[in-house]
Amino acid sequence: MPPARGEGGLRFTDVAPRSHIAYKSNNDFTGRKYFPQPMCGGVAVFDFDGDGRLDVFFTNGAQLPALRKVDASFYNCLLRNKGGGTFEDVTARAGLEGKQLDFSFGVAAGDFDNDGFADLFLCQAGRNALYHNNGDGTFTDVTETAGLAAKRKNLLSVSAAWFDYDDDGRLDIATANGHILDNAPRFRAGSTYRQRKLLFRNRSLRCR
């Protein structure tokens, strides 16, 4: 297939076959459709190791209806940019497989503690997750110490964004949310799929 030509003479070429990216998202489709499945798979493009090259992080699904990452096909994935258009899987080394997490959705990269290394916030069906970038190629789950572990039952976080809403020099995090069931009113009177957005203020640059 010839390269696509865009406006102004721009050309795009599909280089995926030579990039060494083998990752596949897994939403556990087995013939029965569960509500979270179509939303599986978030992506963040960021330079996690400070080498000047953009790396790629993918979130992944989980076994349904248990919402558990029961094997490696459901693990999240961090691909380090080696240059020359190729990538290597460094997920296990970085500590980002997410074995303990459930069904993952959106992800946002941002340096919440201003140490010069981008951290990751993962949106989940259950407890969300905040990973601190240690600056040595590894990440640490600091969700508990950051005060982000508590979450209302059945609240599904779909996407998130880092921004400094109060102009104090620290990145805050906002999440867009829904109910775990798209037909929630059928099971509980007064319940709706639509849920309010949440904003978490960064009160300290300390991660632990």
Side-chain angles (χ1 to χ4, degrees), residues 27 41 61-62 84 89 96 99 147 156 166 168 170 182-183:
N27 67 3
D89 188 334
L96 287 174
K99 298 177 183 180
L156 182 154
D166 53 358
D168 65 355
R170 298 187 290 258
D182 60 335
N183 57 352

Side-chain angles (χ1 to χ4, degrees), residues 55-103:
D55 312 294
V56 187
F57 177 77
F58 297 96
T59 69
N60 208 343
Q63 186 185 65
L64 296 168
L67 293 174
R68 293 176 55 236
K69 295 185 186 299
V70 295
D71 59 52
S73 72
F74 296 107
Y75 294 168
N76 301 322
C77 180
L78 176 63
L79 297 175
R80 178 178 175 269
N81 188 338
K82 298 170 60 179
T86 62
F87 293 78
E88 64 173 325
D89 188 334
V90 295
T91 316
R93 188 192 320 163
L96 287 174
E97 292 174 315
K99 298 177 183 180
Q100 79 284 6
L101 302 177
D102 54 31
F103 208 103

Side-chain angles (χ1 to χ4, degrees), residues 20-77:
H20 299 173
I21 295 178
Y23 167 81
K24 293 182 180 180
S25 61
N26 185 354
N27 67 3
D28 197 36
F29 180 71
T30 57
R32 174 180 176 178
K33 179 182 176 182
Y34 290 91
F35 174 62
Q37 287 173 324
M39 298 185 289
C40 176
V43 60
V45 180
F46 70 119
D47 182 10
F48 86 93
D49 54 0
D51 64 358
R53 295 188 290 261
L54 291 176
D55 312 294
V56 187
F57 177 77
F58 297 96
T59 69
N60 208 343
Q63 186 185 65
L64 296 168
L67 293 174
R68 293 176 55 236
K69 295 185 186 299
V70 295
D71 59 52
S73 72
F74 296 107
Y75 294 168
N76 301 322
C77 180

Side-chain angles (χ1 to χ4, degrees), residues 136-159:
D136 59 359
T138 67
F139 290 75
T140 301
D141 187 338
V142 296
T143 314
E144 291 279 353
T145 54
L148 293 170
K151 187 178 178 184
R152 182 162 49 84
K153 185 179 180 181
N154 294 327
L155 185 68
L156 182 154
S157 296
V158 180
S159 60

Side-chain angles (χ1 to χ4, degrees), residues 1 26 29 42 78 84-85 118 134 139 141 147 176 181 189 201 205 208:
M1 179 181 296
N26 185 354
F29 180 71
L78 176 63
N134 301 316
F139 290 75
D141 187 338
L181 299 175
R201 179 173 178 260
L205 293 177
R208 53 184 181 271

